[in-house]
Amino acid sequence: YGGKKNDDFETKKADQRTGLLEGYSRLKDTNNVVDDTISLGLESEAIGASTLAEMKRQGEIIDNADTELDNVDSQVNRIRGVLSSMGRRLMTDKFILGLLIVLLIAAIGVVVFVKWIKPLIH
């Protein structure tokens, strides 16, 4: 009877030891998974910070491009005004030149009339 009780005790002790070892093994595996998860989280955080910095840089580039486009737009409007003024001046100069040509032709006509045609009429 004493031997059987001792065997039961040893069996229970061995079962408990096996259970503790299995539990320890599961705890160790779980700890490894948690460590991997923390590592992955830190890596994701670093990637997120890098992405945020890149997006900020690209946002500044877009803001600068917007400012440059505003400057170009104002320059185009100024140039448009200058070209319009030049066009008006060109048309005025053409009109004055045409008027001078008409006056010269008229003056030549008067001279021709006075020099050659008027003596023929008298």
Side-chain angles (χ1 to χ4, degrees), residues 22-40:
E22 288 174 0
Y24 176 76
S25 177
R26 276 191 239 127
L27 182 61
K28 193 174 176 185
D29 291 344
T30 302
N31 195 24
N32 289 339
V33 169
V34 168
D35 287 344
D36 290 345
T37 303
I38 289 172
S39 175
L40 184 61

Side-chain angles (χ1 to χ4, degrees), residues 2-57:
K4 182 170 168 98
K5 189 175 184 184
N6 201 14
D7 285 343
D8 286 344
F9 178 73
E10 290 297 323
T11 303
K12 284 183 182 181
K13 189 174 160 183
D15 289 345
Q16 284 179 346
R17 180 173 162 70
T18 303
L20 286 173
L21 288 173
E22 288 174 0
Y24 176 76
S25 177
R26 276 191 239 127
L27 182 61
K28 193 174 176 185
D29 291 344
T30 302
N31 195 24
N32 289 339
V33 169
V34 168
D35 287 344
D36 290 345
T37 303
I38 289 172
S39 175
L40 184 61
L42 292 174
E43 184 180 332
S44 296
E45 183 180 13
I47 291 170
S50 173
T51 301
L52 181 63
E54 179 65 19
M55 289 177 72
K56 183 177 180 183
R57 186 186 69 78

Side-chain angles (χ1 to χ4, degrees), residues 75-89:
Q75 292 292 332
V76 167
N77 288 335
R78 187 179 66 79
I79 290 170
R80 187 177 288 135
V82 168
L83 287 175
S84 177
S85 173
M86 288 173 68
R88 283 191 301 272
R89 177 170 266 163

